[in-house]
Amino acid sequence: MSATSILSSLSKINEKYQMFRTITSDTEVGEAKFLFSAKDNLTSKDMETCSGSKILEGYRPPFDATSIARMREAGGMLVGKTNMDEFGFGTFSTNSAFGVPRNPYGPERSCGGSSGGAACAAAVMEGHVAIGVSTGGSICCPASFCGVYGMVPTYGRVSRYGLLDYGNSLDKIGIISAKASDLGKYIGIMAGSDPKDPTSCMQPDMGARRKLKSVAVPKDATEGVSEDVRTAFINGLETLKSMGVDVATVEMPSLKYAIPAYYVIATSEASTNLARYCGMRYGHQEGDLSLKFDDYFTSFRSQYFGQEAKRRILLGTFTRMVGFRDRYYSKARMVRQSIIEEYRSVLGECDAVLTPTMPFVSPKFSDISKMTPLESYKADILTGPPNIAGMPHASVPCGYDRDGMPIGMQFVADQWDEGVLFSAAEEWEKNFESVRPEVSI
């Protein structure tokens, strides 16, 4: 299907899958070389940016995020902003104020979160490239649930300028696509230092591709995962061996502490980042202005923040309180350093660490509604460790369950060593038969 035909079909397909929050009004491609979408927490000067939240409805930024600007400069056309959990707070994209994206392999199931709309767009739109953002697993999780490739570069590889922050020390911008070769191609376009984001300014070159020769599998990698995921992962290991990749089992005991440490650090940073949304500078500006400051802010934020956003603000505020910072926040940072050191030790002996991406296939919305917040948080148990460590990682499809739902596995490489992940994903694609969703454009 031509790019022009895809543009003319966007609204119709979006009615069914709700993958976009905003769609371009253009129906002609013009001189654009490729089409791409961006997650709704990246600023774009010609489209509304809401980050999945009612509190930002109507916000039209006057500038592009650096990642979007570089894609445009390379000849890309931004076709829409993809739907997401409010400010990235979720694993299933069910916390958006603007509808819930539907999985193209089963509309009664989740696309994953928080870049759920991005993964759905990559799965159903032929040749599409979606920019996603990962804080604790928000690229690899939806890539796994939607049967596509997702790549998160090293923290700092892509400028965060123009990103509506969730957790400043955790947020990373990456790519989701149905083609493995797109990962290196488009991350290469977005990467590089940017004086507008100091965390992006000191970084080694991306370097040449390096063939994957060995992987390490943590001893507990399949503990607690579903039977379908375990079977697909073991089959994936056998396929890697047939490709000439050495597989070793290793002990990585600190990984099990990644989730509690992640939620302490992430919510602490989120609670400060969200303080700016008070009804005075961004999005909605309304209410009784005769109230005192605190009463006005409380009234406004209570009305427009969703339940999960309020939960994370309260949790983050608690862990930063005087008397609790050393008990929680400081300890979480120590755990983060231990995880980094453990990854580096293992990656000194092999090229990548390999685990399943998610412990189960995409759940039905009826099952998600019965989960407690803690059960939802635990779903990030395999994607949390590389994110808290800032390590580059990629999810590739590795199988399907009895209902045809996709299953993914996750490669983690050393910091700044994206080249081995690009090669691994592309070689894997040649040896794995993907099943595309029935509905595609």
Side-chain angles (χ1 to χ4, degrees):
M1 180 177 284
S2 69
T4 300
S5 299
I6 289 175
L7 280 181
S8 61
S9 302
L10 273 183
S11 295
K12 185 176 180 180
I13 199 72
N14 196 49
E15 288 178 8
K16 181 173 182 179
Y17 291 105
Q18 300 186 48
M19 51 192 175
F20 286 106
R21 158 62 183 153
T22 309
I23 296 176
T24 179
S25 58
D26 294 338
T27 56
E28 296 296 330
V29 176
E31 298 180 354
K33 298 176 181 175
F34 61 92
L35 306 182
F36 74 98
S37 60
K39 194 172 178 178
D40 196 29
N41 56 355
L42 291 163
T43 55
S44 52
K45 60 185 177 184
D46 54 355
M47 291 184 191
E48 194 176 349
T49 299
C50 300
S51 203
S53 178
K54 275 282 186 187
I55 210 164
L56 277 173
E57 190 171 18
Y59 175 54
R60 298 184 71 86
F63 65 99
D64 279 337
T66 296
S67 53
I68 291 178
R70 290 181 174 176
M71 291 287 267
R72 291 192 205 262
E73 291 167 2
M77 176 181 177
L78 179 64
V79 300
K81 307 296 287 294
T82 49
N83 206 350
M84 57 178 286
D85 284 301
E86 183 175 18
F87 289 104
F89 300 153
T91 306
F92 304 111
S93 288
T94 52
N95 295 325
S96 171
F98 306 107
V100 179
R102 304 280 168 169
N103 194 300
Y105 289 84
E108 75 283 6
R109 294 176 184 264
S110 167
C111 287
S114 62
S115 306
C120 183
V124 303
M125 294 169 62
E126 185 176 338
H128 188 69
V129 181
I131 305 178
V133 179
S134 180
T135 307
S138 296
I139 285 180
C140 285
C141 164
S144 175
F145 282 177
C146 293
V148 291
Y149 293 80
M151 171 84 181
V152 182
T154 308
Y155 176 82
R157 176 68 83 184
V158 176
S159 169
R160 293 180 298 108
Y161 178 72
L163 170 65
L164 306 186
D165 291 308
Y166 165 5
N168 304 53
S169 72
L170 294 159
D171 296 334
K172 300 164 288 291
I173 298 171
I175 289 291
I176 303 177
S177 173
K179 291 172 57 181
S181 58
D182 285 344
L183 304 181
K185 179 179 179 181
Y186 292 103
I187 285 178
I189 289 173
M190 296 192 300
S193 64
D194 177 7
K196 296 174 183 174
D197 175 13
T199 61
S200 76
C201 290
M202 297 295 292
Q203 55 180 268
D205 291 337
M206 192 87 78
R209 306 291 175 89
R210 185 164 64 84
K211 182 177 173 59
L212 180 74
K213 296 181 178 178
S214 59
V215 296
V217 179
K219 184 180 178 182
D220 302 329
T222 58
E223 185 175 322
V225 306
S226 72
E227 192 57 40
D228 287 324
V229 171
R230 180 181 289 106
T231 300
F233 182 68
I234 291 173
N235 291 339
L237 291 178
E238 294 303 316
T239 302
L240 282 174
K241 291 176 183 175
S242 71
M243 293 163 57
V245 177
D246 293 331
V247 178
T249 301
V250 296
E251 298 275 357
M252 298 187 73
S254 70
L255 299 190
K256 60 178 175 288
Y257 302 113
I259 288 301
Y262 164 78
Y263 275 98
V264 169
I265 294 172
T267 58
S268 296
E269 296 180 7
S271 65
T272 58
N273 281 323
L274 267 58
R276 74 191 67 171
Y277 305 115
C278 60
M280 298 188 71
R281 296 182 62 190
Y282 304 101
H284 285 292
Q285 297 178 15
E286 61 185 33
D288 184 358
L289 296 177
S290 65
L291 295 173
K292 293 181 179 178
F293 281 167
D294 286 350
D295 293 335
Y296 173 78
F297 297 159
T298 300
S299 172
F300 183 84
R301 288 156 63 86
S302 297
Q303 181 178 353
Y304 288 107
F305 275 140
Q307 287 299 113
E308 185 59 29
K310 294 173 185 173
R311 181 179 294 113
R312 298 196 186 203
I313 290 171
L314 289 171
L315 179 58
T317 302
F318 176 80
T319 55
R320 289 187 297 105
M321 288 173 60
V322 174
F324 293 101
R325 280 180 296 195
D326 290 342
R327 185 182 300 178
Y328 300 111
Y329 186 69
S330 297
K331 282 188 177 177
R333 294 180 62 192
M334 293 168 65
V335 170
R336 167 189 264 182
Q337 189 59 39
S338 295
I339 292 171
I340 291 172
E341 291 171 1
E342 192 164 274
Y343 267 123
R344 285 178 173 165
S345 174
V346 172
L347 291 170
E349 303 294 328
C350 65
D351 293 325
V353 173
L354 183 66
T355 67
T357 305
M358 296 299 291
F360 43 70
V361 300
S362 171
K364 295 181 178 178
F365 293 117
S366 56
D367 294 327
I368 294 170
S369 65
K370 299 172 186 174
M371 288 184 176
T372 65
L374 186 57
E375 288 172 332
S376 295
Y377 296 168
K378 287 181 177 178
D380 300 335
I381 189 168
L382 297 166
T383 58
N387 276 283
I388 197 172
M391 302 286 187
H393 53 288
S395 178
V396 304
C398 71
Y400 301 87
D401 75 353
R402 65 202 72 180
D403 295 323
M405 297 306 298
I407 296 168
M409 63 182 185
Q410 177 180 259
F411 294 91
V412 183
D414 202 355
Q415 289 166 327
W416 312 114
D417 194 16
E418 287 89 349
V420 72
L421 296 182
F422 297 146
S423 297
E426 291 173 15
E427 286 301 312
W428 175 260
E429 187 177 42
K430 297 174 185 174
N431 289 273
F432 178 74
E433 187 174 349
S434 292
V435 178
R436 306 306 310 151
E438 292 183 3
V439 179
S440 61
I441 58 174

